[in-house]
């Protein structure tokens, strides 16, 4: 038994599009020297490099996986969308949604990214692994069934869940999304269902601008099985730990999932260019420990983290390493080089009092 680490070099070869940050080039937008979307391979490749340099990788069960096949993709996405994506990819690449450019072969790479999540979930559920991390790229949590957006081309976690259901491996799934952006795709896919609890913690009115309100609780049989925890910019370590402890963990205990899946973005970090939160590597380490604690109590420790966003090339690797250290109970420790600064950069006591009251208010609203 071990911690699985699922990755594939090919996932780092996904790319395309003429952007500077998230702005299309043209008019007054000059190309960047190191150009492209913030969702570039380096944040992920550097995480993989760091676990090699630290030696942590030798403690992990390192694997790739087969791409998710057409049938597996079609359980979540309409075939008309899949055909359009595949045809555009075969013809040289392009863009079919919002900020989701891809090159020739992008369809196969996106299917591989989903395949990593699918295989990781399968091995956690059948007990071959204690827990696992899927370094999926492109990410998935924004992708709607027929509309890719926010760098996400296929709904990786939803595809993995549907495959597990089809294989009879589990029936109840909890998705905890701590990517700093709203998990609008995962929410939409399971919005009317009571077998998948979706919880998203995100910066309010970041991306997408229109979704992620606390009042969005699901529809039909799914009422109560979707939770949004929108936070103001500037929320830091204490608030994130509080939200997990006072909202997420009670919700998980009430739901009793067969497995907990984390949509693991690192863009709530203090250095992210696409958000304004103050989480640190230690925040991600502590949240991982909290998820392991919940999984241990509720579902034999069955826990999978699937990589989503996180755009600070320099800092994401340290956050990811902290998560993997915790998951694997490793002693291959890499200290956070920014810890001293970030400990001081947290909200003041006065601001934290405000944030604590906000979390209390949201817990009252979300939990029975
Ligand atoms: Zn994000």
């Amino acid at each position: 038994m071990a911690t699985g680490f699922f990755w594939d070099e090919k996932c780092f070869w996904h790319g395309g599009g003429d952007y500077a940050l998230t702005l299309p080039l043209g008019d007054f937008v000059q190309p960047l020297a190191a150009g492209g979307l913030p969702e570039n391979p380096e944040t992920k490749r550097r995480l993989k490099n760091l676990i090699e340099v630290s030696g942590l990788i030798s403690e992990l069960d390192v694997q790739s996986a087969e791409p998710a096949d057409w049938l597996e993709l079609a359980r979540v996405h309409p075939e008309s969308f899949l055909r359009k994506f595949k045809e555009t990819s075969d013809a040289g690449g392009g863009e079919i949604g919002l900020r989701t450019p891809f090159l020739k072969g992008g369809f196969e790479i996106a299917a591989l990214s989903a395949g990593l999540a699918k295989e990781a979930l399968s091995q956690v559920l059948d007990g071959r692994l204690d827990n696992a991390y899927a370094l999926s790229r492109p990410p998935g949590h924004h992708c709607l069934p027929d509309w890719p957006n926010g760098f996400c081309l296929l709904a990786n976690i939803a595809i993995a869940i549907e495959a597990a259901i089809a294989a009879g491996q589990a029936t109840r799934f909890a998705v905890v999304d701590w990517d700093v952006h709203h998990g609008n795709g995962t929410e939409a896919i399971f919005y009317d269902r009571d077998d998948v609890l979706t919880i998203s913690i995100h910066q309010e009115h970041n991306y997408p601008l229109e979704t992620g309100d606390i009042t969005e609780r699901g529809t039909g049989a799914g009422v109560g099985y979707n939770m949004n925890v929108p936070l103001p910019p500037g929320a830091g370590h204490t608030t994130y730990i509080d939200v997990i402890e006072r909202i997420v963990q009670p919700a998980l205990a009430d739901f009793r999932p067969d497995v907990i899946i984390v949509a693991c973005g690192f863009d709530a970090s203090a250095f992210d260019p696409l958000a304004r939160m103050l989480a640190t590597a230690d925040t991600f380490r502590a949240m991982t420990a909290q998820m392991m604690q919940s999984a241990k109590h509720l579902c034999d420790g069955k826990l999978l983290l699937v990589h989503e966003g996180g755009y600070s090339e320099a800092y994401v690797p340290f956050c990811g390493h902290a998560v993997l250290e915790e998951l694997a109970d490793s002693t291959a420790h890499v200290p956070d080089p920014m810890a001293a600064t970030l400990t001081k950069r947290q909200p003041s006591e006065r601001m934290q009092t405000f944030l604590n009251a906000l979390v209390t208010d949201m817990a009252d609203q979300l939990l029975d």
Side-chain angles (χ1 to χ4, degrees):
M1 293 286 278
T3 292
F5 181 76
F6 292 76
W7 80 291
D8 196 292
E9 174 64 27
K10 201 72 201 277
C11 282
F12 300 154
W13 293 21
H14 161 65
D18 293 324
Y19 290 88
L21 203 59
T22 55
L23 306 172
L25 300 184
D27 296 328
F28 296 106
V29 182
Q30 179 185 341
L32 297 172
L37 286 168
E39 203 295 293
N40 72 59
E42 286 311 297
T43 45
K44 289 84 181 173
R45 187 179 270 129
R46 288 166 63 103
L47 167 55
K48 161 79 172 20
N49 290 346
L50 187 60
I51 64 173
E52 284 181 359
V53 167
S54 74
L56 173 56
I57 199 161
S58 66
E59 300 174 40
L60 305 174
D61 186 341
V62 181
Q63 304 185 42
S64 183
E66 291 296 314
D69 65 27
W70 190 270
L71 176 70
E72 289 163 343
L73 302 180
R75 291 196 185 103
V76 173
H77 298 284
E79 297 209 42
S80 55
F81 160 71
L82 294 174
R83 273 195 298 273
K84 188 174 166 193
F85 183 7
K86 170 88 170 115
E87 283 164 12
T88 311
S89 168
D90 287 350
E95 185 157 1
I96 54 176
L98 178 68
R99 294 190 200 111
T100 50
F102 50 90
L103 303 169
K104 186 168 171 46
F107 177 85
E108 283 73 22
I109 296 178
L112 175 57
S113 182
L116 296 176
K118 186 206 86 174
E119 184 60 26
L121 179 59
S122 175
Q123 293 194 21
V124 167
L125 285 172
D126 72 14
R128 266 182 287 169
L129 295 169
D130 289 316
N131 51 39
Y133 193 97
L135 189 54
S136 293
R137 178 176 186 269
H141 75 143
H142 292 307
C143 190
L144 300 172
D146 60 353
W147 194 64
N149 69 102
F151 321 141
C152 299
L153 280 152
L154 294 169
N156 300 331
I157 288 176
I159 290 162
I161 287 175
E162 293 297 353
I165 292 172
Q169 290 183 297
T171 58
R172 293 174 75 74
F173 304 80
V175 182
V176 178
D177 186 327
W178 67 48
D179 185 284
V180 81
H181 305 106
H182 177 225
N184 57 311
T186 320
E187 173 183 287
I189 289 163
F190 299 113
Y191 205 58
D192 61 354
R193 286 170 51 170
D194 59 6
D195 59 337
V196 182
L197 172 68
T198 48
I199 306 174
S200 177
I201 308 162
H202 46 267
Q203 182 183 328
E204 188 171 44
H205 298 168
N206 184 314
Y207 183 84
L209 284 167
E210 306 81 11
T211 65
D213 195 83
I214 192 168
T215 57
E216 295 167 8
R217 297 303 314 277
T219 188
V223 170
Y225 295 91
N226 185 71
M227 289 186 182
N228 284 319
V229 184
L231 297 172
H237 181 85
T238 301
T239 302
Y240 270 89
I241 303 311
D242 263 9
V243 166
I244 300 278
E245 185 182 320
R246 293 163 63 195
I247 299 175
V248 176
Q249 289 188 305
L252 291 172
D254 193 41
F255 181 70
R256 304 202 69 81
D258 297 328
V259 59
I260 298 170
I261 304 168
V262 175
C264 180
F266 294 109
D267 36 16
S269 94
F271 296 104
D272 201 90
L274 297 190
R276 293 294 176 268
M277 295 308 210
L278 292 169
T280 73
D282 208 42
T283 311
F284 294 103
R285 178 196 306 280
M287 291 197 294
T288 302
Q290 288 174 306
M291 289 298 95
M292 291 171 75
Q293 181 191 47
S294 287
K296 187 177 166 196
H297 287 145
L298 299 170
C299 45
D300 294 330
K302 292 185 190 308
L303 175 64
L304 166 65
L305 279 70
V306 180
H307 199 102
E308 298 284 356
Y311 307 103
S312 168
E313 280 183 38
Y315 195 56
V316 162
F318 295 101
C319 298
H321 199 283
V323 163
L324 284 160
E325 278 175 40
E326 198 65 36
L327 267 185
D329 192 22
S330 171
T331 54
H333 182 56
V334 169
D336 174 3
M338 298 307 295
T341 301
L342 290 184
T343 303
K344 292 180 190 151
R345 201 175 282 176
Q346 296 300 308
S348 64
E349 204 177 312
R350 196 163 66 111
M351 190 58 72
Q352 192 60 54
T353 303
F354 164 77
L355 289 162
N356 292 349
L358 181 69
V359 175
T360 301
D361 187 59
M362 288 195 289
D364 286 345
Q365 189 171 340
L366 289 169
L367 303 171
D368 295 329

